[in-house]
Amino acid sequence: MLRNNLDRRIKYVLFACLLAFSAAGCTSTPPPAKNVEQQPKATASLTPKTGGTITIGYQVEPDTLDPQKTALSAGNFVGGLLGGALMVLDPYTFELKPHLAESYTVSEDGKTLTFKLRPEVKFHDGTPLTASVFKQSIERAIDPKTASPVAGQELTTIESVSAPDDSTLILQLKQPSAPLLSALSYGGYQQPISMEALKKYGSDFGRNPVGVGPWKFESWKTGESITLIRNDDYKWSAPFVENQGPVRPDKLVIKFIKDTQTLMAALDSGTIDIAGVPAKDVKKYRDDKDFTVLEGMQPVENFIGMNLENEILRDVNVRKAINLAINKEALIIADLQGEGVPVYGPIPPTMFGYDKAVEEYGYKYNKEEAIRLLEESGWKLGGQGIREKDGKALSLTMIIDDPKPGNQLVQSMLKEIGIDLKIQSYEMATAHAQAVKGEFDLMATDHGSIDPNILELLLHSNQIGGLNFFRVNNKELDGLLEKGSITTDSQERQKIYAAIQKLVVEEAYWIPLYSAKTFQVISNRIQGVKPNPLATLTIQDMWVNE
């Protein structure tokens, strides 16, 4: 639920299939890319060919292709194919690298970012990309009149923009901002806009996008598909791709198929070439010689939040007991058919700042210890196996907006230690409204971002009444979160987030559950397929073998 709400707020992009995203200065070791059984069948020894069409099945249609007007990750995904940003994430190393920028520097006080732009970059309409154009693009994004739901919100720390010459772009910040470089790597949201095209199309620009990317816009059939064609002038690829020139296929079609079963049927029939597939359905493709399966894991964490204004949950022993009562591995089997990894703190394993030590000190399933802590706090077994204290039953309600088998498992796990858990299912909007008002005890939800600064939104006391649904109010934690948002040295920042993880676990503010694996299934008629830890697709290197 938090992921969907944050899709329209700062510091979050929903990581849908194929979405290219970034993380600044990641020093933790990413999990290895999966090179599964089918991959050798993609005969990489063949000579790449030019021509043909790649068709991607995608479950969400963009609202607009004006990057500063879209509120959806689908707009960022398609926009990223049409455009590019100052920075880019290397999905193999998790390093943030210059892209449309040739280089950049950060001032000693962290408040001035200076970018040198790559020379000879041109928009699809032939106009050059200059620092002045980039300046106008950024100023449009942050102009309140634009009412940019994502792109502008990501840039709120920018005080002013200057372009002293065609290749130099200077961002003056209100205060140092560690997450800003990450935000400046969204190839869709933060792409520069052709001012000439904006003048030409005006309010219709979102249906007639003009970018600097490897693909040019051809057509949009509402409710059906968007078709892109090769940009033959493209020669400014990201540094981690092999193909530094134009893409090889003639066309790229993004076909909108909302229903998962229909999506898979289209994949099976050859109507589409690429699709994200749920964990429960991936086995059949692993066993099929006609497909390659890419496996990865994006920085998203499922967890159960606790309302600290609840009298029962104010007791840290109760919070710890609930953590200890949860068998994460059993939930991974129930919800993901085993295709996930347990999470022990507020930061998932593929997010910058993850401290592997949390796997040692985080809560492991230990029913006996959970019972001991409840007994220590005076909760004694009463009738029907439910604990009581001062005449009050240990009864809690968990709100959910995504019914899945794991919810009932959690209910039975807590029953085993004497907690009566009721489950209340709501539609997403209703669940969000309940959470904002604090009308819940426990809440099953998830979060994800390219940067751990998302924790400031979820855990800082000044966000109570906002996205700090859990009413966490800890001044030490507030200070660490604030420090993490302005510290630009990646090693120092890593230490800060290690301390944040330790504190959140010690206080047992929420119950981390798991991160799900992500799967991309690709027809073997598509060659040049390369796995990476995030299971994102490097379409720049792909070609059609037919």
Side-chain angles (χ1 to χ4, degrees):
M1 180 176 71
L2 280 175
R3 286 189 296 153
N4 298 72
N5 293 317
L6 286 167
D7 196 31
R8 292 171 174 80
R9 293 172 179 254
I10 62 173
K11 304 299 174 280
Y12 184 73
V13 172
L14 174 63
F15 298 103
C17 70
L18 319 181
L19 183 61
F21 65 94
S22 306
C26 186
T27 57
S28 58
T29 303
K34 296 292 184 181
N35 197 351
V36 296
E37 291 180 7
Q38 289 86 339
Q39 189 63 23
K41 298 169 190 168
T43 53
S45 61
L46 293 174
T47 303
K49 301 175 185 177
T50 299
T53 299
I54 294 178
T55 304
I56 297 174
Y58 203 79
Q59 292 185 285
V60 181
E61 183 172 9
D63 47 352
T64 174
L65 290 177
D66 182 334
Q68 296 170 358
K69 295 285 191 176
T70 183
L72 300 179
S73 58
N76 182 56
F77 165 56
V78 180
L81 299 167
L82 294 164
L86 287 165
M87 308 295 290
V88 68
L89 173 75
D90 184 327
Y92 303 95
T93 67
F94 282 23
E95 293 175 306
L96 195 67
K97 296 178 177 178
H99 185 200
L100 295 181
E102 194 171 50
S103 63
Y104 72 98
T105 58
V106 181
S107 64
E108 191 172 338
D109 65 1
K111 294 173 66 175
T112 305
L113 304 182
T114 302
F115 296 90
K116 286 293 182 181
L117 301 187
R118 292 177 71 153
E120 301 180 359
V121 177
K122 293 183 179 180
F123 286 96
H124 299 152
D125 59 8
T127 57
L129 173 62
T130 63
S132 176
V133 171
F134 235 126
K135 174 180 182 291
Q136 293 175 73
S137 294
I138 293 172
E139 288 175 339
R140 178 179 184 257
I142 60 179
D143 187 339
K145 294 178 183 177
T146 304
S148 178
V150 178
Q153 290 296 313
E154 289 286 350
L155 306 179
T156 54
T157 57
I158 296 176
E159 187 170 59
S160 63
V161 189
S162 59
D165 57 58
D166 283 350
S167 63
T168 305
L169 179 70
I170 301 174
L171 307 182
Q172 192 66 42
L173 310 185
K174 299 170 186 174
Q175 62 181 26
S177 174
L180 181 60
L181 279 176
S182 298
L184 293 173
S185 66
Y186 292 139
Y189 291 132
Q190 301 300 347
Q191 64 176 299
I193 292 175
S194 166
M195 292 298 126
E196 293 300 316
L198 193 58
K199 290 176 186 175
K200 179 179 179 180
Y201 294 109
S203 60
D204 291 328
F205 178 75
R207 301 288 293 202
N208 298 275
V210 175
V212 298
W215 300 94
K216 298 194 292 187
F217 178 79
E218 183 179 75
S219 62
W220 185 344
K221 295 180 182 178
T222 302
E224 294 183 23
S225 63
I226 289 175
T227 299
L228 312 179
I229 58 174
R230 179 176 57 242
N231 176 9
D232 288 317
D233 296 325
Y234 189 74
K235 53 183 178 181
W236 40 89
S237 295
F240 54 83
V241 300
E242 290 183 16
N243 176 24
Q244 290 292 308
V247 291
R248 296 183 178 106
D250 294 328
K251 290 189 177 184
L252 181 66
V253 178
I254 300 98
K255 195 172 182 64
F256 307 122
I257 307 173
K258 293 182 181 180
D259 180 71
T260 299
Q261 295 305 313
T262 306
L263 186 76
M264 290 169 56
L267 194 60
D268 295 341
S269 68
T271 304
I272 62 175
D273 301 304
I274 302 172
V277 170
K280 66 183 179 65
D281 298 309
V282 77
K283 185 180 185 301
K284 71 175 243 182
Y285 295 105
R286 281 180 169 152
D287 297 335
D288 193 322
K289 63 180 176 60
D290 294 326
F291 294 96
T292 291
V293 177
L294 297 187
E295 173 185 321
M297 193 166 56
Q298 297 174 355
V300 174
E301 168 180 331
N302 285 74
F303 69 101
I304 298 172
M306 293 186 264
N307 184 352
L308 298 185
E309 289 185 352
N310 177 294
E311 183 179 352
I312 293 171
L313 296 172
R314 287 177 188 160
D315 185 343
V316 69
N317 274 3
V318 174
R319 301 199 300 270
K320 288 179 178 179
I322 294 173
N323 268 276
L324 289 163
I326 302 302
N327 186 330
K328 302 177 197 293
E329 286 76 10
L331 293 179
I332 291 169
I333 292 170
D335 290 343
L336 307 173
Q337 289 68 50
E339 302 288 0
V341 298
V343 177
Y344 297 97
I347 295 178
T350 51
M351 185 184 290
F352 168 73
Y354 180 72
D355 182 14
K356 195 170 177 60
V358 74
E359 297 169 21
E360 300 301 321
Y361 66 74
Y363 300 104
K364 311 290 195 307
Y365 177 58
N366 189 331
K367 186 171 72 172
E368 291 72 24
E369 177 64 10
I371 290 171
R372 188 192 69 77
L373 288 171
L374 292 177
E375 291 279 349
E376 185 180 293
S377 283
W379 290 100
K380 306 298 181 182
L381 275 180
Q384 299 181 332
I386 302 303
R387 296 183 178 275
E388 298 177 351
K389 181 180 179 181
D390 300 329
K392 182 177 181 180
L394 184 43
S395 180
L396 299 167
T397 298
M398 180 170 74
I399 63 173
I400 64 171
D401 67 355
D402 181 14
K404 49 191 173 184
N407 296 324
Q408 280 68 43
L409 263 185
V410 169
Q411 187 178 45
S412 64
M413 289 170 187
L414 294 189
K415 179 69 179 295
E416 288 185 12
I417 65 168
I419 297 177
D420 174 36
L421 180 68
K422 298 178 176 65
I423 297 175
Q424 179 66 59
S425 181
Y426 293 107
E427 292 295 323
M428 186 180 297
T430 305
H432 178 261
Q434 293 284 103
V436 169
K437 291 185 289 185
E439 295 179 357
F440 71 97
D441 301 327
L442 304 177
M443 179 175 63
T445 187
D446 55 21
H447 82 84
S449 177
I450 63 173
D451 192 276
N453 191 56
I454 188 176
L455 295 181
E456 187 167 5
L457 288 175
L458 304 180
L459 295 169
H460 197 290
S461 62
N462 66 14
Q463 294 296 318
I464 293 173
L467 290 176
N468 182 354
F469 300 152
F470 322 111
R471 275 59 181 174
V472 175
N473 191 344
N474 183 314
K475 296 307 176 187
E476 181 185 358
L477 180 58
D478 286 352
L480 286 168
L481 291 166
E482 290 163 11
K483 193 174 179 182
S485 71
I486 64 173
T487 300
T488 55
D489 180 272
S490 62
Q491 292 185 344
E492 287 302 310
R493 203 165 179 242
Q494 182 86 27
K495 293 176 184 176
I496 293 166
Y497 283 100
I500 288 170
Q501 286 163 93
K502 183 78 170 175
L503 179 55
V504 171
V505 171
E506 285 176 349
E507 293 294 330
Y509 286 140
W510 72 41
I511 307 123
L513 300 178
Y514 55 73
S515 284
K517 293 179 183 176
T518 300
F519 301 97
Q520 307 294 345
V521 177
I522 306 153
S523 165
N524 280 342
R525 70 184 286 270
I526 308 303
Q527 300 292 295
V529 177
K530 297 179 176 66
N532 65 66
L534 303 173
T536 53
L537 296 181
T538 309
I539 300 174
Q540 183 69 24
D541 286 332
M542 293 184 185
W543 53 281
V544 182
N545 183 33
E546 61 181 5

